[in-house]
């Protein structure tokens, strides 16, 4: 295994963890926000440095150059590969932008300490190479939202029941895996338990009510950061895809497609903005699962690309909604609010991120949606038209919500609703990434294609594909068949 030039991974995990301890003793919310922003920025720099370092090695995976945890456990704990490298940068970026856009009115509700702790857990989850360590981190990641619900005296029964079920199934599944002699011959019980666990965590119908309950009762920033990295999808890619039989993948695909259709329809009829966002995100994340379960390179490439674009665009979409909510309170979609004249920049971000999430041409989500449809045509021909229907319904829901929030007769306000500099910076960063990723998608698609080939190789032969430097990256629009040159 190749070695990174610096211990980027452990720095990226421990910096937010130490920062959370530091922020805990900051009594002033503005002071806590400022220190949290610095910590999140340093974490983002480490993750970018790790990605650049990893790409320069031109290898399938790499570990830190000096790792105290490796000496402690006698094996590599944190490892980065083609699948996780962009996820680490994206996750740290999402946390940085969320903290950056947090207004003073939200600083007393949104816990910076728990946010940094969640970031450390999530980054460790995406890099953990020890199976039981991954199980422990997936379970630990469910704790911070529960603590927030409990501290704010909100109902916790629904969330606790679903996350408890997720942890129970995950632990039982890992126990069943350990009792199996070969990872390529996993028992049916182990596959079913692990599949059920990741589906609960992904919020598929009918075990999706924990997600709507979380958006209803938790702070919007916490709910966004808990769902948008799509940890459930990561579990499917890491745990289920390499060992599940074809019939199991088709069953997951059908469940995910039904969830996408159901959630898209529910997003169209929601009367409250938070629930609308929840169902819209659930529909998009289910489409990512549909693409992964095609288990063909083109579909996997599209799904992995869509994973990144949906996480980025839906976080931007949620932050725009959060900024509006911090000014006018909970938003009802039963009336026209006419907010465009007061905050036109947020209106533009709302529309841009919403269209990017559905794959509008010229945005970062366009290529991903197209490749998912192409992969569905190859693997499951009847699924492809339904994916298009889901995308169309989601587009209608986005446009309807935009009209409800930003158009109509403007209402006079006694407070200043203009966008603050920190919010403006978040808007510009997200908008630039969405547009640049849409106009120049080749780098992202090529990287996701490498990860897709590795997943297909693990599934078909139990071994990773050849190193990246031995192949030429595919061009966008060309055939992405398994035997196509990279």
């Amino acid at each position: 295994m190749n070695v990174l030039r610096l211990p980027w991974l452990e720095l990226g995990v421990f910096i937010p963890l130490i920062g959370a301890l530091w922020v805990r003793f900051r009594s002033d919310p503005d002071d806590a926000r400022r220190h949290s922003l610095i910590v999140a920025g340093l974490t983002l720099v480490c993750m970018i440095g790790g990605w650049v370092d990893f790409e320069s090695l031109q290898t399938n995976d790499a570990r830190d150059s000096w790792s105290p945890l490796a000496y402690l456990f006698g094996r590599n704990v944190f490892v980065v590969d083609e699948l996780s490298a962009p996820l680490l940068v994206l996750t740290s970026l999402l946390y940085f932008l969320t903290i950056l856009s947090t207004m003073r009115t939200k600083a007393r509700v949104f816990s910076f300490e728990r946010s940094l702790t969640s970031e450390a857990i999530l980054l460790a989850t995406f890099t953990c190479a020890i199976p039981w360590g991954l199980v422990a981190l997936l379970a630990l990641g469910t704790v911070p939202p529960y603590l927030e619900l409990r501290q704010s005296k909100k109902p916790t029964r629904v969330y606790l029941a679903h996350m408890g079920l997720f942890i129970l199934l995950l632990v039982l599944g890992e126990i069943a895996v350990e009792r199996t002699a070969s990872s390529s011959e996993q028992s049916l019980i182990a596959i079913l338990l692990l599949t059920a666990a990741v589906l609960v965590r992904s919020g598929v119908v009918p075990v999706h009510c924990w997600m709507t309950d979380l958006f209803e009762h938790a702070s919007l920033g916490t709910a966004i950061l808990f769902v948008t990295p799509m940890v459930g999808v990561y579990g499917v890619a890491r745990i289920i895809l390499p060992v599940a039989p074809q019939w199991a993948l088709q069953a997951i695909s059908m469940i995910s497609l039904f969830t996408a259709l159901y959630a898209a329809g529910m997003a169209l009829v929601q009367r409250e903005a938070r629930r609308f966002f929840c169902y819209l995100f659930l529909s998009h994340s289910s489409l990512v699962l549909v693409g992964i379960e095609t288990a063909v390179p083109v579909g996997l490439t599209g799904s992995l690309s869509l994973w990144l674009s949906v996480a980025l665009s839906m976080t931007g979409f949620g932050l725009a909604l959060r900024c509006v909510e911090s000014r006018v309170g909970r938003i009802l979609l039963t009336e026209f609010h006419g907010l465009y004249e007061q905050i036109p920049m947020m209106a533009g971000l709302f529309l841009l991120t919403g269209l990017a999430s559905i794959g509008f041409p010229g945005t970062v989500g366009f290529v991903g949606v197209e490749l998912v449809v192409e992969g569905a045509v190859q693997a499951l021909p009847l699924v492809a038209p339904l994916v298009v229907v889901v995308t169309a319904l989601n587009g209608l829901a986005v446009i309807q919500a935009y009209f409800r929030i930003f158009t109509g007769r403007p209402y006079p306000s006694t407070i200043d609703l203009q966008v603050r500099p920190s919010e403006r910076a978040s808007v510009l960063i997200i908008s630039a990434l969405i547009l640049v990723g849409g106009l120049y998608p080749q780098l992202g698609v090529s990287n996701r294609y490498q990860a897709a080939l590795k997943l297909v190789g693990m599934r078909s032969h139990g071994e990773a594909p050849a190193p990246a430097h031995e192949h030429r990256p595919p061009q966008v629009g060309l055939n992405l068949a398994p035997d196509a040159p990279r």
Side-chain angles (χ1 to χ4, degrees), residues 175-209:
I175 292 174
V177 167
E178 283 197 341
R179 292 184 176 180
T180 305
S182 172
S183 61
S184 61
E185 300 176 355
Q186 295 296 344
S187 67
L188 178 61
I189 297 298
I191 293 174
L192 290 178
L193 288 171
L194 292 174
T195 300
V198 296
L199 290 180
V200 171
R201 181 62 176 83
S202 300
V204 299
V205 174
V207 287
H208 67 288
C209 55

Side-chain angles (χ1 to χ4, degrees), residues 117-141:
T117 303
S118 297
E119 182 179 12
I121 295 172
L122 190 56
L123 293 175
T125 302
F126 287 152
T127 56
C128 185
I130 301 177
W132 275 110
L134 179 60
V135 170
L137 289 167
L138 287 171
L140 192 60

